[in-house]
């Protein structure tokens, strides 16, 4: 009998295995429950794509962007606002995974781990989400952007972190979502992507900000140097070209004219290691968390590049890629003496759980991207570019520092369709706004395409912000 | 007003888990009590030295081996020399193939021979006199499970039953007020109160059974039955808002199960009689599986059902009981017939037949049970490793030649990519609704998992969790697992190793089955479609669970001891 007892330890092992399994299940449940709930088939939140019970989403001025009325999810009255904020707010489906209605679904539906989804209404607490965006600015940006195949425009307050404008095209009306079939899928290609957060583009000349930063920090006599541009120069057996012969110039002028030859030469002189180090430090290869949503990381990798390719990488070609949100953050860092405030989208969720406190409504500093001296110099360069090349009245009296760029994209090879960029910030104390705009599929340069989007959006954003202060 | 109602609903929902924990605790607390104190039944006194050796168990191995219940340090004694055992008629000794033989009062014994008090037993060079147990005065230690038990009497059985009944009535009332119940009012014969009819029937069954057990069968203990009635009742009440008919069927099947439970306990009352039935049971079990293989009805990919007129039964569930019969054995038989060949062949037939039917879950349960029984019988790690290697090889061969088998498990750990196909449909919904239920559940009848196929059987852990809350579901699971603790704690008090082995194995089977059910539905293991003991809907399943419980109940000497005294 004693032996039987001893041997029954084998079953004890089974019971322990069972308990370990249960512990694993409990941990999985605690970690995963809020994701598990957010399924389109979930009968407890059925109807309107599971948003029947969801609360109100509103912008910074308490304009309702989405709400449930009579068992139906209703979006903003203005079709342009609906289309402009599709990627921020989301629609009835879960197709736009970075949208608030996908990411904050459990908060919107009043889910909590302890009570699940069936807490009586009187206890369920508010389920509303307040955003930092300004509907008017987004609408303006959208109207400027819709001229082009696709694009993105982001503006954020680099002092507080609030995202004022976040518009991505292609888009559609969430009140009347299209049925995407084989026939029209080209027309809607990439429509579920928020280009601000989830796309990267070839930067073109806006990458000269990075090359300039590397030069300022690593070449002591950089401000005494001059270069001569004849429109074309051979580097490592291949040509680097400029749109025109810029003649003799110093760094400031080279930045203003956006001279490829100067920055290509600088990249080669600085070398692979310094360029990579600077790009890393400025967050080009990093991903940022915006209210819990990760941005797509850019790319600067010259480890396999020839010298000729290294030269082109210095002017934002080769395999360089950047993300609009990350460029806005970089501009914010330049405006703030090198340390950016990480933007956020969600001002607050009413009755939100402890868990969300880290996510919502608080500005946090990012890692230092530049020395304050370098930031100051870059600011001067970008300011000079606006004053000298784009005209200081372009932004309606705002003290804007910016850089344009035109990325030659592989997909448009053989055609003259490019990615046009403008990134920068307003140095005005009352409207501390950083922006990044990109449009795809344009034959013109960044200034005349993305520049116009940035201009319209920035003027509107400044006006909205100033009106708000007056109130 | 609405606020008051809401507060009441929330308060009740929070009480439910607490109530469950109290009941489960009480069931196990009672199991620890009312146990005879640790004392020597008889004792063996060395005639030369006068040293007294206590005899603690109903069946005691005597031998040179240190693992023996009574170890004799004498080179003339075989490792497993003989067995001293107690039966209704008194004490017996049986030689288990010793080299030098066992003698009682000078004459050599071969078969089981009765020994009386003051008889002299000679083993090797030693001589022992059999004395009464009360001549032994030293203190004996209890195992931790039973030590430190307060002297306060455990909760009276009937009080525990009242607690359980109230719990089921509470579930019935909750089901009456489930969402959408108002819409039933338009019927003249209001189905709003349907749950109460079933609940009434359930309570009646519980108390009738309690009365039979305490008055007709005169059993002193009722704790395991209480726990399992509690679980069975939860299973029935979970069904009322899903399908009234299956709730009723479940209740009837459970009643049959209770009858089977009592009959089995009676049948195994004499552990020596079972040996004669072994072969018949074995043949019957193989026959059942053969019929199943020939006439099996394919449902959900496995052909483990047979149709008998209006009822479908799952023979593999009943074979589980037969399996334990064949596997367990009394100590003297165990020591004389060390080889497991017969049992191994029987196991291979069972597992093979189930694999052919495509019922991998049950096949796995049998295989694991085989490991348990063969190890508890022989203590032989070699058999264990050999069996595992064999099974591994068999699995590889199956996957090699029947790759489609693997397809059934392709969604495992990837269910979120398979929410709309058969691979992960059920598991994803189980997880979603477990999360939707939160810690306290959405209330009986308010769940959504009930619309998913097999929610009342394979996914019942999810259903329970969604409607009654995660805490209740986990508590119930732990309660079933704790049956093993109980089975193990009565191991040495059983009247024969037959009961010890069968109780441990039955509890092991229940734990394995429950693990496969819970972890299959929640995507921790592949979904194999086995039932949750006592809770899942399924007539064959619940009958077999009560049948398995009989082995655990029989292992407790209290089950029979009082009756012996009354005779």
């Amino acid at each position: 009998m004693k032996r039987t007892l001893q041997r029954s330890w084998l079953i004890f092992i089974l019971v322990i295995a069972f308990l370990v399994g249960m512990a694993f299940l409990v941990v999985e449940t605690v970690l995963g429950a809020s994701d598990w709930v957010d399924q389109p088939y979930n009968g407890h939140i059925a109807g309107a794509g599971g948003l029947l019970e969801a609360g109100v989403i509103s912008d910074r001025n308490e304009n309702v962007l989405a709400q449930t009325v009579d068992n139906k999810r209703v979006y903003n009255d203005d079709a342009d606002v609906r289309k402009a904020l599709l990627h921020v707010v989301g629609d009835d489906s879960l197709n736009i995974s970075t949208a608030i209605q996908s990411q904050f679904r459990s908060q919107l539906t009043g889910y909590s781990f302890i009570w699940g989804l069936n807490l009586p209404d009187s206890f369920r607490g508010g389920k509303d989400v307040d955003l930092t965006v300004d509907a008017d600015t987004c609408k303006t940006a959208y109207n400027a952007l819709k001229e082009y195949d696709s694009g993105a425009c982001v503006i954020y307050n680099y002092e507080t972190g609030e995202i004022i404008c976040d518009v991505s095209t292609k888009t559609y009306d969430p009140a009347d979502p299209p049925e995407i079939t084989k026939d029209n899928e080209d027309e809607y290609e990439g429509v579920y992507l928020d280009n601000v957060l989830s796309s990267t583009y070839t930067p073109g000349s806006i990458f000269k900000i990075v090359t300039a930063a590397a030069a300022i920090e690593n070449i002591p006599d950089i401000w005494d140097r001059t270069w001569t541009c004849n429109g074309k120069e051979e580097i490592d057996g291949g040509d680097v070209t400029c749109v025109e012969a810029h003649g003799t110039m110093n760094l400031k002028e080279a930045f203003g004219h956006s001279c490829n030859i100067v920055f290509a030469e600088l990249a080669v002189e600085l070398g692979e290691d310094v360029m990579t180090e600077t790009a890393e430090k400025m967050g080009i290869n990093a991903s940022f968390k915006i209210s819990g949503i990760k941005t797509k990381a850019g790319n600067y990798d010259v480890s396999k590049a020839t010298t000729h390719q290294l030269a082109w990488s210095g002017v934002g070609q080769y395999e360089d890629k950047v993300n609009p949100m990350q460029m806005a953050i970089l501009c914010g860092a330049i405006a703030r003496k090198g340390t950016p405030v990480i933007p956020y989208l969600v001002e607050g969720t009413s009755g939100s759980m402890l868990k969300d406190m880290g996510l919502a409504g608080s500005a946090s500093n990012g890692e230092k991207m530049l020395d304050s001296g370098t930031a100051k110099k870059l600011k001067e360069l970008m300011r000079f570019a606006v004053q000298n090349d784009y005209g200081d009245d372009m932004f309606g009296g705002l003290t804007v520092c910016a850089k344009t760029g035109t990325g030659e994209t592989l997909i448009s090879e053989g055609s003259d369709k490019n990615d046009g960029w403008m990134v920068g910030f307003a140095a005005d104390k009352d409207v501390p706004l950083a922006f990044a705009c990109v449009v795809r599929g344009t034959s013109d340069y960044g200034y005349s395409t993305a520049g116009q989007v940035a201009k319209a959006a920035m003027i509107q954003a400044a006006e909205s912000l100033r009106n708000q202060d007056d109130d | 007003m609405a606020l008051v109602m809401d507060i009441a609903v929330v308060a009740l929902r929070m009480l439910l888990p607490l109530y469950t924990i109290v009941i489960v605790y009480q069931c196990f607390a009672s199991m620890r009590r009312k146990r005879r104190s640790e004392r020597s039944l008889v004792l063996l006194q060395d005639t030369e030295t006068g040293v007294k050796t206590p005899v603690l168990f109903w069946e005691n191995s005597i031998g040179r081996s240190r693992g023996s219940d009574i170890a004799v340090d004498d080179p003339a004694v075989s490792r497993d020399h003989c067995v001293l055992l107690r039966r209704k008629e008194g004490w017996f000794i049986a030689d288990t193939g010793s080299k030098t033989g066992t003698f009682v009062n000078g004459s050599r014994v071969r078969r089981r021979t009765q020994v009386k008090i003051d008889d002299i037993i000679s083993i090797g060079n030693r001589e022992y006199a059999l004395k009464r147990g009360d001549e032994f005065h030293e203190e004996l230690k209890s195992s931790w499970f039973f030590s430190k038990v307060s002297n306060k009497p455990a909760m009276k059985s009937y009080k525990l039953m009242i607690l359980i009944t109230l719990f089921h009535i509470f579930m019935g009332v909750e089901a009456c007020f489930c969402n959408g119940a108002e819409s039933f009012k338009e019927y003249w014969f209001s189905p709003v109160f349907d749950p109460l009819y079933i609940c009434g029937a359930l309570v009646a069954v519980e108390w009738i059974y309690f009365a039979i057990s305490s008055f007709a069968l005169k059993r002193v203990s009722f704790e395991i039955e209480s726990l399992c009635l509690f679980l069975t009742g939860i299973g029935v009440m979970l069904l009322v808002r899903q399908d009234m008919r299956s709730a009723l069927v479940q209740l009837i099947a459970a009643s049959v199960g209770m009858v089977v439970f009592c009959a089995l306990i009676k049948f195994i009352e004499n552990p020596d009689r079972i040996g004669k039935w072994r072969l018949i049971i074995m043949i019957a079990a193989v026959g059942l599986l053969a019929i199943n293989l020939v006439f099996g009805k394919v449902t959900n990919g496995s052909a483990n059902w047979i149709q008998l007129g209006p009822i479908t039964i799952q023979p593999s569930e009943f074979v589980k009981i037969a399996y334990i019969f064949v596997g367990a054995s009394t100590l003297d038989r165990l020591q004389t017939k060390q080889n497991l060949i017969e049992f191994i062949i029987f196991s291979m037939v069972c597992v093979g037949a189930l694999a052919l039917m495509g019922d991998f879950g049950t096949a796995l349960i049998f295989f694991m049970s085989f490991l348990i029984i063969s190890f508890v019988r022989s203590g032989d790690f070699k058999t264990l490793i050999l069996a595992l290697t064999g099974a591994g090889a068999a699995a590889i061969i199956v996957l090699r030649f029947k790759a489609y088998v693997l397809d059934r498990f392709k969604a495992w750990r990837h269910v979120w990519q398979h929410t709309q196909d058969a691979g992960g449909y059920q598991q994803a919904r189980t997880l979603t609704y477990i999360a939707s239920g939160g810690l306290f559940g959405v209330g009986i009848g308010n769940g959504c998992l009930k619309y998913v196929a097999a929610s009342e059987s394979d996914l019942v852990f999810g259903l329970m969790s969604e409607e009654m809350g995660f805490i209740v579901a986990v508590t119930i699971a732990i309660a079933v697992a704790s049956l093993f603790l109980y089975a193990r704690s009565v191991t040495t008090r059983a009247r024969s190793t037959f009961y010890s082995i069968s109780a441990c194995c039955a509890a092991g089977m229940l734990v394995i089955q429950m693990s496969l059910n819970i972890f299959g539905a929640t995507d921790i293991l592949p979904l194999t479609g086995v039932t949750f003991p006592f809770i899942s809907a399924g007539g064959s399943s619940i009958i077999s669970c009560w049948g398995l419980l009989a082995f655990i109940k029989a292992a407790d000497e209290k089950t029979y001891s009082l009756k012996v005294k009354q005779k």
Side-chain angles (χ1 to χ4, degrees):
Chain A
M1 294 291 255
K2 229 156 71 185
R3 260 179 261 179
T4 310
L5 181 71
Q6 280 161 5
R7 291 166 188 166
S8 68
W9 274 103
L10 186 70
I11 310 174
F12 241 124
I13 294 170
L14 273 178
V15 174
I16 288 165
F18 163 75
L19 290 177
V20 169
M22 282 310 274
F24 184 67
L25 175 62
V26 170
V27 170
E28 277 214 319
T29 308
V30 171
L31 295 180
S34 60
D35 292 335
W36 297 351
V37 166
D38 291 342
Q39 297 297 325
Y41 56 74
N42 190 341
H44 294 289
I45 45 174
L51 293 161
L52 207 61
E53 309 271 327
V56 179
I57 301 176
S58 45
D59 84 340
R60 61 188 298 113
N61 301 315
E62 282 155 36
N63 294 316
V64 172
L65 301 177
Q67 62 182 333
T68 299
V69 179
D70 296 334
N71 285 340
K72 218 177 157 253
R73 198 70 181 155
V74 178
Y75 298 88
N76 192 279
D77 302 333
D78 187 333
D80 284 344
V81 171
R82 292 199 294 267
K83 290 179 189 168
L85 284 162
L86 169 75
H87 295 90
V88 171
V89 174
D91 67 351
D92 285 358
S93 76
L94 285 170
N95 290 331
I96 301 164
S97 61
T98 53
I100 293 300
Q101 290 197 154
S102 302
Q103 290 281 336
F104 284 75
R105 202 176 172 88
S106 42
Q107 285 89 330
L108 282 166
T109 49
Y111 170 79
S112 76
F113 176 71
I114 292 172
W115 293 105
L117 278 171
N118 210 43
L119 199 59
D121 281 336
S122 20
F123 294 95
R124 233 197 235 191
K127 306 170 289 185
D128 302 341
V129 173
D130 300 325
L131 302 181
T132 57
V133 292
D134 178 56
D136 293 336
T137 308
C138 293
K139 180 180 167 182
T140 308
Y142 165 68
N143 279 324
L145 269 174
K146 70 180 175 190
E147 316 261 320
Y148 307 98
D149 285 0
S150 66
C153 179
V154 54
I155 300 176
Y156 90 104
N157 182 324
Y158 57 76
E159 294 294 350
T160 63
E162 297 158 294
I163 295 174
I164 308 296
C165 172
D166 179 335
V167 179
S168 168
T169 57
K170 304 163 176 174
T171 185
Y172 58 82
D173 186 353
D176 181 25
E179 201 176 321
I180 297 175
T181 60
K182 274 228 160 75
D183 301 327
N184 65 357
E185 64 183 3
D186 284 349
E187 188 189 332
Y188 288 108
E189 201 198 333
V191 75
Y192 296 136
L193 273 187
D194 182 351
N195 291 327
V196 170
L197 296 172
S198 313
S199 295
T200 54
Y201 298 85
T202 304
S205 297
I206 60 166
F207 197 79
K208 286 169 187 161
I209 296 172
V210 178
T211 312
I216 293 166
E217 288 184 357
N218 294 285
I219 303 175
D221 66 339
I222 189 77
W223 300 105
D224 305 328
R225 287 196 190 180
T226 53
W227 293 265
T228 306
C229 165
N230 300 316
K232 193 155 109 180
E233 186 161 312
E234 195 188 303
I235 297 179
D236 190 31
D239 282 346
V240 173
T241 52
C242 272
V243 279
E244 57 182 295
H246 293 115
T248 303
M249 65 210 143
N250 62 17
L251 184 70
K252 204 169 182 177
E253 288 157 338
F255 191 84
H257 296 315
S258 199
C259 178
N260 282 349
I261 292 166
V262 173
F263 285 90
E265 279 181 5
L266 279 175
V268 173
E269 182 184 341
L270 289 161
E272 177 191 324
D273 292 343
V274 172
M275 282 300 290
T276 305
E277 192 191 325
T278 311
E280 283 284 339
K281 199 175 152 202
M282 292 172 85
I284 300 299
N285 290 331
S287 170
F288 300 89
K289 257 194 170 174
I290 311 299
S291 287
I293 309 161
K294 275 184 148 184
T295 66
K296 188 172 178 188
N299 176 56
Y300 184 81
D301 182 4
V302 287
S303 57
K304 295 190 183 85
T306 63
T307 306
H308 179 67
Q309 286 166 330
L310 177 64
W312 275 115
S313 82
V315 296
Q317 305 295 339
Y318 180 52
E319 286 173 359
D320 298 3
K321 293 275 181 213
V322 293
N323 162 270
M325 180 59 87
Q326 118 185 108
M327 287 314 293
I329 294 171
L330 178 56
C331 291
I334 296 168
R336 258 184 111 244
K337 298 193 176 113
T339 309
V341 168
I342 302 300
Y344 66 92
L345 197 54
V346 177
E347 192 63 67
T349 53
S350 45
S352 65
M353 301 283 299
L354 280 173
K355 180 186 131 190
D356 313 318
M357 283 174 60
L359 288 179
S362 61
S364 60
N365 280 347
E367 276 177 49
K368 197 171 173 66
M369 290 175 163
L370 298 154
D371 293 336
S372 59
T374 315
K376 200 176 158 217
K377 290 290 182 195
L378 281 176
K379 188 173 167 181
E380 279 172 24
L381 292 181
M382 289 166 80
R383 180 71 191 131
F384 178 77
V386 173
Q387 283 175 316
N388 212 48
D389 291 83
Y390 317 138
D392 207 13
D393 54 349
M394 174 178 174
F395 288 93
L398 290 173
T399 322
V400 169
C401 313
K403 181 81 193 82
T404 57
T406 308
E408 289 164 16
T409 54
L410 274 176
I411 53 157
S412 59
E413 212 167 29
S415 73
D416 54 355
K417 297 246 166 179
N418 293 321
D419 293 340
W421 277 96
M422 186 164 199
V423 301
F425 59 91
D428 308 74
K429 282 257 175 332
D430 61 335
V431 281
L433 299 171
F435 66 91
C437 291
V438 59
V439 298
R440 168 156 288 182
T442 164
S443 50
D444 284 327
Y445 292 107
Y447 165 71
S448 48
T449 55
Q452 301 312 306
V453 177
K455 169 184 157 185
M458 278 296 280
I459 291 172
Q460 179 60 49
E463 193 188 320
S464 295
L465 227 58
R466 282 174 174 151
N467 283 343
Q468 199 183 3
D469 290 342
D470 293 343
D471 286 347
Chain B
M1 187 57 203
L3 184 70
V4 175
M5 277 294 283
D6 285 351
I7 291 174
V9 166
V10 168
L12 282 176
R13 272 194 204 140
M14 288 178 77
L15 274 178
L16 197 69
L18 198 68
Y19 196 178
T20 313
I21 292 169
V22 167
I23 290 178
V24 169
Y25 173 77
Q26 282 300 338
C27 288
F28 282 98
S30 306
M31 283 180 199
R32 295 170 58 184
R33 314 247 163 109
K34 275 199 252 168
R35 182 180 154 104
R36 78 170 153 82
S37 56
E38 208 75 35
R39 63 181 172 81
S40 179
L41 297 169
V42 286
L43 60 83
L44 292 176
Q45 188 169 24
D46 194 313
T47 49
E48 248 172 74
T49 60
V51 172
K52 292 170 180 174
T53 312
V55 176
L56 301 171
F57 313 127
W58 284 65
E59 289 184 343
N60 304 273
S61 60
I62 301 175
R64 188 161 45 84
S65 151
R66 279 204 291 169
S68 299
D69 297 321
I70 298 163
V72 181
D73 188 16
D74 185 311
V77 173
S78 300
R79 293 181 62 78
D80 297 313
H81 196 100
C82 59
V83 169
L84 180 66
L85 42 87
R86 177 180 170 180
R87 286 293 178 265
K88 211 188 282 181
E89 298 80 15
W91 286 86
F92 293 83
I93 196 154
D95 189 89
T96 51
S98 69
K99 283 208 183 99
T100 53
T102 308
F103 301 83
V104 175
N105 296 334
S107 52
R108 182 161 186 170
V109 295
R110 296 204 190 275
R111 297 252 186 101
R112 218 180 257 187
T113 311
Q114 190 156 20
V115 278
K116 299 211 162 63
I117 297 297
D118 293 334
D119 279 355
I120 303 292
I121 300 164
S122 316
I123 303 155
N125 302 320
R126 303 292 181 89
E127 280 194 348
Y128 294 102
L130 189 71
K131 297 284 183 190
R132 287 186 198 283
D134 45 24
E135 288 180 32
F136 193 77
H137 302 296
E138 282 169 54
E139 280 280 316
L140 289 163
K141 233 169 52 186
S142 290
S143 73
W144 66 270
F145 190 69
F146 292 102
S147 59
K148 291 179 193 159
V149 172
S150 73
N151 289 325
K152 214 177 75 185
M155 183 180 245
K156 289 258 169 36
S157 298
Y158 76 88
K159 283 187 186 159
L160 188 56
M161 280 298 290
I162 290 173
L163 271 186
I164 290 168
T165 309
L166 283 177
F167 189 94
H168 292 150
I169 292 173
F170 181 79
M171 284 179 79
V173 173
E174 200 183 0
C176 291
F177 292 102
C178 77
N179 293 346
E182 314 85 70
S183 63
F184 298 144
K185 275 179 189 155
E186 55 199 72
Y187 296 96
W188 179 76
F189 184 73
S190 170
V192 172
F193 297 111
D194 268 1
L196 289 186
Y197 307 141
I198 295 284
C199 189
L202 173 68
V203 170
V205 167
E206 284 168 358
W207 283 93
I208 289 170
Y209 181 63
F210 179 62
I212 290 174
S213 177
S214 5
F215 299 114
L217 301 174
K218 296 198 165 54
R219 297 250 166 81
V220 281
S221 61
F222 198 70
E223 300 86 10
I224 318 188
E225 292 98 320
S226 302
L227 180 70
C228 295
L229 280 176
F230 176 56
L231 301 178
T232 306
I234 289 178
V236 171
M237 295 314 291
L238 276 177
L239 282 169
V240 290
R241 275 297 178 218
Q242 189 167 22
D243 181 7
M244 284 291 280
R245 192 179 159 274
S246 40
L248 199 62
V249 169
Q250 178 79 353
L251 183 57
I252 293 167
S255 315
V256 174
M258 292 170 208
V259 173
V260 169
F261 174 80
C262 295
L264 262 180
I265 290 179
K266 184 72 194 159
F267 179 69
I268 59 179
E269 185 177 2
N270 182 351
D272 301 316
R273 193 172 60 200
I274 301 158
K276 294 166 196 147
W277 284 87
R278 252 180 114 216
L279 193 66
I280 298 167
I281 291 167
M282 211 155 33
I283 293 167
V286 172
L288 256 180
L289 287 174
I291 292 170
N292 194 170
L293 266 180
V294 178
F295 300 104
K297 203 176 99 185
V298 181
T299 0
N300 302 328
S302 47
N304 51 357
W305 296 89
I306 47 176
Q307 184 102 32
L308 281 179
I311 9 177
T312 50
I313 62 164
Q314 213 170 352
S316 57
E317 291 288 344
F318 301 108
V319 176
K320 279 181 194 164
I321 298 172
Y323 193 74
I324 292 183
F325 265 115
V326 176
S329 161
T330 56
L331 189 56
D332 50 343
R333 282 176 139 266
L334 213 60
Q335 290 202 358
T336 43
K337 279 184 154 187
Q338 280 275 358
N339 71 63
L340 287 160
I341 299 287
E342 198 183 55
F343 180 57
I344 291 173
I345 293 171
F346 180 61
S347 302
M348 281 166 67
V349 170
C350 288
V351 174
L354 287 163
L356 278 179
M357 290 173 209
D359 187 353
F360 296 106
T362 315
L364 191 59
I365 293 173
F366 272 80
F367 177 69
M368 299 283 276
S369 307
F370 167 75
L371 293 185
I372 295 173
I373 293 188
S374 59
F375 183 74
V376 173
R377 279 180 66 142
S378 66
D380 189 1
F381 273 107
K382 274 179 285 180
T383 323
L384 210 66
I385 291 161
L386 207 68
L388 278 171
T389 324
I396 290 168
I397 291 169
V398 167
L399 293 180
R400 197 78 183 272
F401 293 101
K402 297 190 168 186
Y404 66 87
V405 172
L406 205 61
D407 279 355
R408 284 178 55 177
F409 306 123
K410 69 173 187 294
W412 178 48
R413 301 302 292 162
H414 296 100
V415 291
W416 299 110
Q417 282 119 60
H418 295 270
T419 56
Q420 298 306 326
D421 64 56
Y425 187 94
Q426 291 171 306
Q427 298 95 311
R429 274 152 189 79
T430 304
L431 292 176
T432 294
Y433 291 129
I434 285 176
S436 301
L439 294 184
F440 302 107
V442 298
I444 305 296
N446 292 342
C448 291
L449 189 62
K450 63 180 176 182
Y451 303 114
V452 176
S455 62
E456 75 287 4
S457 51
D458 299 351
L459 314 179
V460 79
F461 180 78
L463 186 72
M464 188 158 55
S465 189
E466 183 191 18
E467 299 199 346
M468 304 176 75
F470 195 58
I471 300 176
V472 171
V474 171
T475 308
I476 297 294
I478 290 175
V480 174
S482 304
L483 274 178
F484 165 69
L485 267 192
Y486 179 76
R488 193 173 176 278
S489 67
V490 295
T491 304
T492 52
R493 314 313 285 276
R495 291 162 52 249
S496 163
T497 48
F498 173 83
Y499 301 115
S500 317
I501 295 174
S502 58
C504 283
C505 181
M509 261 189 181
L510 292 175
V511 173
I512 294 164
Q513 188 177 330
M514 179 178 66
S515 304
L516 289 178
N517 174 281
I518 296 177
F519 301 144
T522 52
D523 196 36
I524 290 172
L525 294 175
L527 182 64
T528 42
V530 299
T531 54
F532 192 117
F534 299 103
I535 306 267
S536 280
S540 310
S541 164
I542 189 119
I543 292 172
S544 110
C545 285
W546 278 93
L548 291 177
L549 192 69
F551 290 108
I552 301 175
K553 180 75 180 172
D556 187 353
E557 60 181 350
K558 284 183 283 183
T559 307
Y560 299 104
S561 64
L562 223 81
K563 283 202 292 189
V564 176
K565 274 184 191 168
Q566 281 162 353
K567 274 189 182 174

